[in-house]
Amino acid sequence: MFNNRRKSALTIGTVLMAGSLVFGLTACSSSDSDSVKVGLITKTDSNPYFVKLREAAQAQADSSGAELVALAGAFDGDNEGQVAAIENLVGQGVKGILITPNSSTGVLDAIKKARDAGVVVIALDTATDPEDAVDATFATDNKAAGVSQGEWVKGTLGATAPQVIMLDGTAGGTVDTFRHDGFLEGMGLTDSSSEIVGQENTNGDQTKAQTAMENLLQRAPGVNALYTINEPAAAGAYQAIQSAGRADQITIGSIDGSCTGIANVKSGIIGATVLQFPAKMAEQGVDAVVKFAQDGTKPSGFNDTGSQLVTDKPVAGIESQDTAWGEANCWG
């Protein structure tokens, strides 16, 4: 999920003295003082996935004559930073806020206050819990994406009994839960299945995933299948697996669809990944806020922006695209 090339952006380190919170503020302004102001809050401002989402939101705002103000948490899991960002945007008079919440429950009070102030709030990528804490969600169906990953891993193993390691993301996030549960469903397993021989949270971070995998490999020498929350986690795990001389032993599945991830599928580092479409989330979110500002129409419900399994090792009965298609449709 994780080079900001945008030349028009001004990145400011903003310090909120009252809460002693620091977060990255990207202010992208239209010259029209009467333009619709749209807020965007991502989990971080460095992950390539959120960079792409921010770039797409900026492009869509520019084409709509809107003004984008983009903020981010200081790190994945920075709920306080996101709460401060919501308050900041409401104070700036935005018509709508697009947010990828670090925690599906950790920012609900701030979201409610924003909605009570007349701001439409849309979750991008990560749903809130409950889902109706926001006006609408534009995101991948993460459970379906997890199912695709699990089905492919299971199909690749064939008759071989699975011994699975789960490299999860951040506890408490709906993305993490849905992908995790979907993968197990695709594998035909549950959390209590004996086939799961190891599990660690990695926050979707490559370095943390490498360390976790190094430790898990010592405890689970028979592992032959690996679930990863995202492609950076898969890349980190592969480094540990390769260093241990076990790259031919373990089938790796992942989710993201970054151009780096697709390249890793093509080279055999990752067996398969499920490509997402973050630009669609951002574009549709901006459009929804502009429409709300124009005529009061609020978006609603869950809006699936789609996903696609990508692999050069297809499994019979499982729909997939190859890495040539992936290279044409990847992001980042």
Side-chain angles (χ1 to χ4, degrees):
M1 278 173 302
F2 314 117
N3 32 85
N4 190 349
R5 298 181 296 273
R6 190 172 68 250
K7 296 181 180 179
S8 62
L10 174 62
T11 301
I12 309 171
T14 300
V15 181
L16 299 184
M17 298 303 294
S20 298
L21 301 176
V22 182
F23 55 88
L25 168 59
T26 305
C28 313
S29 302
S30 165
S31 60
D32 183 358
S33 61
D34 296 325
S35 63
V36 176
K37 186 176 288 189
V38 182
L40 172 67
I41 306 171
T42 51
K43 295 181 182 180
T44 71
D45 60 6
S46 58
N47 185 312
Y49 183 86
F50 299 121
V51 170
K52 179 61 178 180
L53 193 149
R54 187 172 67 242
E55 289 176 342
Q58 181 64 56
Q60 194 69 12
D62 289 345
S63 69
S64 302
E67 176 184 352
L68 184 75
V69 183
L71 308 178
F75 53 87
D76 197 324
D78 180 17
N79 295 316
E80 291 184 347
Q82 289 200 320
V83 168
I86 293 170
E87 295 169 349
N88 181 294
L89 291 171
V90 172
Q92 291 193 51
V94 298
K95 287 293 186 180
I97 295 174
L98 314 176
I99 182 169
T100 61
N102 272 304
S103 166
S104 297
T105 59
V107 294
L108 297 190
D109 287 345
I111 288 174
K112 183 179 186 303
K113 290 177 182 178
R115 294 178 72 189
D116 289 347
V119 178
V120 66
V121 181
I122 298 170
L124 302 184
D125 178 73
T126 304
T128 54
D129 183 13
E131 188 176 292
D132 63 3
V134 292
D135 292 285
T137 302
F138 294 86
T140 303
D141 183 335
N142 280 290
K143 186 171 183 181
V147 169
S148 294
Q149 184 188 161
E151 288 179 337
W152 179 85
V153 170
K154 181 180 181 180
T156 299
L157 291 176
T160 303
Q163 294 192 44
V164 184
I165 282 177
M166 308 283 291
L167 291 186
D168 289 303
T170 304
T174 52
V175 168
D176 306 88
T177 301
F178 292 156
R179 291 182 184 182
H180 175 104
D181 291 351
F183 176 84
L184 292 179
E185 181 178 317
M187 289 289 293
L189 303 174
T190 68
D191 280 312
S192 60
S193 294
S194 61
E195 290 88 347
I196 300 175
V197 296
Q199 182 177 346
E200 291 286 350
N201 289 329
T202 68
N203 300 115
D205 179 81
Q206 183 168 335
T207 301
K208 290 182 180 179
Q210 181 173 348
T211 300
M213 195 67 195
E214 289 169 349
N215 295 331
L216 290 166
L217 283 171
Q218 296 179 35
R219 303 202 298 266
V223 58
N224 58 15
L226 176 63
Y227 160 82
T228 60
I229 181 66
N230 61 13
E231 291 162 357
Y238 179 81
Q239 290 298 315
I241 292 167
Q242 185 183 47
S243 296
R246 298 163 69 178
D248 294 335
Q249 174 187 328
I250 302 172
T251 297
I252 303 176
S254 199
I255 300 175
D256 262 350
S258 70
C259 294
T260 299
I262 296 298
N264 284 344
V265 174
K266 188 174 184 177
S267 67
I269 291 173
I270 304 173
T273 194
V274 183
L275 187 147
Q276 304 181 89
F277 301 96
K280 287 185 180 181
M281 302 175 196
E283 291 162 359
Q284 292 176 20
V286 170
D287 285 347
V289 173
V290 171
K291 184 169 178 59
F292 169 68
Q294 291 172 339
D295 62 17
T297 301
K298 286 188 176 182
S300 63
F302 180 83
N303 301 266
D304 181 14
T305 50
S307 62
Q308 176 62 59
L309 180 70
V310 178
T311 183
D312 287 331
K313 300 176 180 178
V315 172
I318 301 176
E319 197 276 328
S320 65
Q321 296 284 353
D322 62 17
T323 54
W325 183 94
E327 288 171 332
N329 290 275
C330 64
W331 48 265

